[in-house]
Amino acid sequence: MEDREKYYLTTAIAYTSGKPHIGNNYEIVLADSIARFKRKEGCDVFFQTGTDEHGQKIELKAQEAGVTPKEFVDNAAGIIQGMCDMLNISYDKFIRTTDDYHERQVQKIFKRMYNQGDIYKGAYEGMYCTPCESFWTESQLVDGKCPDCGREVKPAREEAYFFRMSKYADRLIKHINEHPEFIQPVSRKNEMMNNFLLPGLQDLCVSRTSFKWGIPVDFDPGHVVYVWLDALTNYITGIGYDAEGNSTEQYKKLWPADLHLIGKDIIRFHTIYWPIFLMALDEPLPKQIFGHPWLLMNSSKMSKSRGNVLYADDLVDFFGVDAVRYYVLHEMPFENDGNATWELIAERTNSDLANTLGNLVNRTISMSNKYFGGVVADKGAVDQALDGDLKAVVTATYGKVKEKMAQLRVADSLTEIFGIFKRCNKYIDETEPWILAKDEAKADRLSTVLYNLVEGICIGASLLEPYMPETAGKIAAQLNTNLRGFDQLETFGLYESGSKVTDKPEILFARLDMKEVEKKDEEMAAAMAAQESAETAGTGAADGPETAADVIDIEPKAEIGFEDFEKLQFQVGEIIACEAVPKSKKLLCSQVKIGSQVKQIVSGIKAHYSPEEMVGKKVMVLVNLKPAKLAGVLSEGMLLCAEDASGKLALMTPEKEMPAGAEIC
């Protein structure tokens, strides 16, 4: 048997400080769809994920919980792995950075780098932010505070080991220039080159002495290995790397990784620090690093402190595993952030899953039972125009999907697959089986039409398997057939004529009552607010001189250059008309005058402003946002708001009278 092409895929390892939200889980579902697709292509896939379990934050959280750090991370890792299993993730390896073999190799790696002069001992001195576990120079502070989180910093000095990043910087720049596929999307590559590599790299702190919960530097026990040298090396330790030259056959087979899949917020660590560490170890670099966008909630990054978090287990309990998988995969663009709310997931479930897919399968099986006792037979009664077009669409889809997946455009590949189901629905409208059934002379034509539908569904379900494996299996079972390999999806007519479909078709996706969805959304929001209130009360946060209303800390986004800011066009707009969006609890549709133009903008502010209040307001508008449909209504920009800790919104308005169209700069 010919050796299969290997494919080694990893995700970032989840930090064990708390329960991951659906924005975190998106990455593992994305990776799973790629891994399953590659397996179905015939590759020998190894898919690794896991947990990052060391650091000062973990030590502090364990103290607060009254348990040891190991007990704390054991519990957290169990929750994270359990959520992977719940989402039907087909990982081959779940690594924990507290695993003995990993810790031993990290110590060996550190010592090797020290012995060869890449790591040296020094001291870190500057302004220290405890929550971020980061030192900053005076020039890096923003208004005297941490540039990442905005909190207070204090002067500190700490003995530490440093890695000589500059030693390898030119070599990394050369590699990136010679391998344009190395960092994807291209915008992430440009960001790393322009903001970090070309201006020059500072040496990186790779040990700490201010806390104990980490892997000890074995030749200097007062130090523990800092998180990034510890965590990043999991990609090689998990498959058998040995820093002393005794790596396993598995490592030799799998490395270099074919794809590191990580969030855009940690791309610097994976595209600069990690490749340089590998260069120091004289190991090849991964073939590709993809920094995927974020899944937002109501267009804001999910954060427990802001109360705008969706958890996968809550969503799966209400919508089902494959509905959640479908939503996060289909709604995430290749490069830009996606958006998720209970309402949006429900709308997509109703339109795509219940109507386009579920109704198609149910109708086809029901008609087969009604007209032919469930027997599906190709009688050869062909309409060349109608049947030919259906077959052409169905058999061309795999090629299109393969092309999209090669570019990691997973959302686009799903759109292509659902093109099959939409074409099958159109074919039903074109052939009108219920009319054919009235004429006995057309029985063969009716049988052929139903055969073509079943065959189209089989091919579509086989393509759908990597993304929605449970649903694809259910479809095949109801049609009394097996899902096909990719090598069979460009041939139409492989469904065995004369097969009998189930006589009791199962509803794949029931239509959701939007009122029930809204009720569930409100229940979850109330429960989260109550939990947050209880946790805040327990910390004594209200005892200090500042209340929660005085300041709000939010999670920082990645830095942008001035050239990125210049792309944004902000202007003053005047709202000349406003109305509620039908069937939406949250959206208002405003007509906004900007200079001599009028733009239609949809905003999720119905709970905070009535349509009557909106009219006449002068507001801040992001004018050049790409148009998009929200609840079926076109939106041509964004109104900017401020949000407090309770979620209350306030429109941003000019302090002095300004004309509509005035530039905000």
Side-chain angles (χ1 to χ4, degrees), residues 590-657:
S590 302
Q591 305 301 318
V592 186
K593 183 180 178 184
I594 304 165
S596 59
Q597 290 185 315
V598 175
K599 284 182 174 281
Q600 177 170 285
I601 299 178
V602 178
S603 311
I605 56 176
K606 190 175 178 181
H608 310 277
Y609 292 93
S610 67
E612 295 75 22
E613 285 180 277
M614 295 286 287
V615 177
K617 283 188 179 294
K618 295 282 184 71
V619 292
M620 183 176 180
V621 183
L622 176 56
V623 175
N624 61 333
L625 186 66
K626 185 178 179 181
K629 282 191 174 182
L630 301 177
V633 181
L634 183 68
S635 182
E636 303 172 296
M638 179 185 289
L639 305 185
L640 272 69
C641 297
E643 181 180 11
D644 68 14
S646 66
K648 185 178 180 181
L649 300 180
L651 287 162
M652 303 300 292
T653 59
E655 179 190 7
K656 297 178 181 178
E657 183 61 32

Side-chain angles (χ1 to χ4, degrees), residues 415-478:
T415 297
E416 295 289 354
I417 295 168
F418 269 72
I420 289 181
F421 304 131
K422 289 178 179 178
R423 185 63 189 86
C424 286
N425 278 311
K426 182 182 177 184
Y427 182 72
I428 292 175
D429 294 337
E430 292 169 338
T431 56
E432 299 179 313
W434 51 91
I435 301 296
L436 295 174
K438 294 178 180 179
D439 186 347
E440 282 191 23
K442 295 180 179 178
D444 284 355
R445 175 58 184 156
L446 175 59
S447 181
T448 302
V449 164
L450 292 175
Y451 177 88
N452 289 341
L453 284 169
V454 168
E455 175 67 357
I457 292 169
C458 283
I459 291 176
S462 298
L463 275 170
L464 194 62
E465 186 183 15
Y467 315 88
M468 302 171 67
E470 186 178 290
T471 298
K474 286 180 178 179
I475 293 171
Q478 292 193 63

Side-chain angles (χ1 to χ4, degrees), residues 493-564:
L494 298 181
Y495 183 80
E496 187 175 348
S497 181
S499 296
K500 191 175 186 299
V501 298
T502 182
D503 56 359
K504 295 179 180 178
E506 176 188 353
I507 301 297
L508 294 174
F509 298 96
R511 283 192 62 83
L512 299 168
D513 184 335
M514 294 306 293
K515 290 183 178 179
E516 288 297 316
V517 174
E518 289 177 8
K519 181 181 177 183
K520 183 68 174 179
D521 187 3
E522 290 169 357
E523 288 175 358
M524 297 308 302
M528 199 173 299
Q531 181 183 357
E532 183 68 19
S533 176
E535 290 176 358
T536 302
T539 61
D543 298 336
E546 287 185 333
T547 66
D550 293 321
V551 296
I552 294 176
D553 294 315
I554 66 172
E555 293 189 28
K557 295 183 179 179
E559 287 183 355
I560 63 171
F562 188 71
E563 67 277 6
D564 295 311

Side-chain angles (χ1 to χ4, degrees), residues 184-201:
Q184 290 293 320
V186 174
S187 59
R188 312 270 190 258
K189 181 196 81 170
N190 295 338
E191 179 188 351
M192 294 303 104
M193 291 287 280
N194 297 332
N195 293 356
F196 300 102
L197 281 166
L198 295 178
L201 292 177

Side-chain angles (χ1 to χ4, degrees), residues 299-417:
S299 301
S300 298
K301 188 179 181 188
M302 292 187 199
S303 167
K304 187 178 178 183
S305 63
R306 301 182 69 191
N308 67 334
V309 172
L310 296 173
Y311 290 111
D313 49 353
D314 295 328
L315 296 174
V316 166
D317 183 58
F318 190 84
F319 295 104
V321 172
D322 275 5
V324 174
R325 286 177 63 106
Y326 176 75
Y327 186 85
V328 298
L329 292 173
H330 186 267
E331 296 304 305
M332 286 295 287
F334 177 70
E335 194 164 352
N336 302 315
D337 295 330
N339 200 24
T341 64
W342 283 84
E343 184 179 31
L344 289 173
I345 298 172
E347 288 173 353
R348 182 62 70 187
T349 299
N350 282 346
S351 62
D352 291 6
L353 302 183
N355 191 24
T356 300
L357 175 58
N359 192 38
L360 168 67
V361 174
N362 191 271
R363 280 205 295 172
T364 300
I365 293 174
S366 296
M367 287 190 291
S368 297
N369 279 307
K370 181 177 180 180
Y371 301 134
F372 297 106
V375 176
V376 179
D378 181 5
K379 298 292 187 177
V382 176
D383 181 316
Q384 293 295 347
L386 290 180
D387 298 1
D389 186 70
L390 172 73
K391 294 174 183 179
V393 169
V394 171
T395 55
T397 300
Y398 169 60
K400 296 176 181 177
V401 171
K402 182 177 181 179
E403 180 183 354
K404 300 295 185 188
M405 288 298 287
Q407 302 166 8
L408 301 181
R409 294 184 177 272
V410 177
D412 294 339
S413 68
L414 265 176
T415 297
E416 295 289 354
I417 295 168

Side-chain angles (χ1 to χ4, degrees), residues 27-72:
E27 180 178 299
I28 195 77
V29 177
L30 178 66
D32 184 64
S33 68
I34 296 169
R36 288 177 182 271
F37 193 89
K38 285 292 180 181
R39 289 192 193 104
K40 197 155 183 173
E41 280 191 315
C43 292
D44 185 4
V45 172
F46 193 86
F47 171 19
Q48 178 170 299
T49 189
T51 44
D52 176 8
E53 303 186 10
H54 294 123
Q56 189 174 23
K57 291 180 188 176
I58 302 296
E59 191 172 82
L60 293 173
K61 282 186 171 288
Q63 289 173 4
E64 291 172 6
V67 296
T68 66
K70 185 62 165 66
E71 288 171 332
F72 185 88

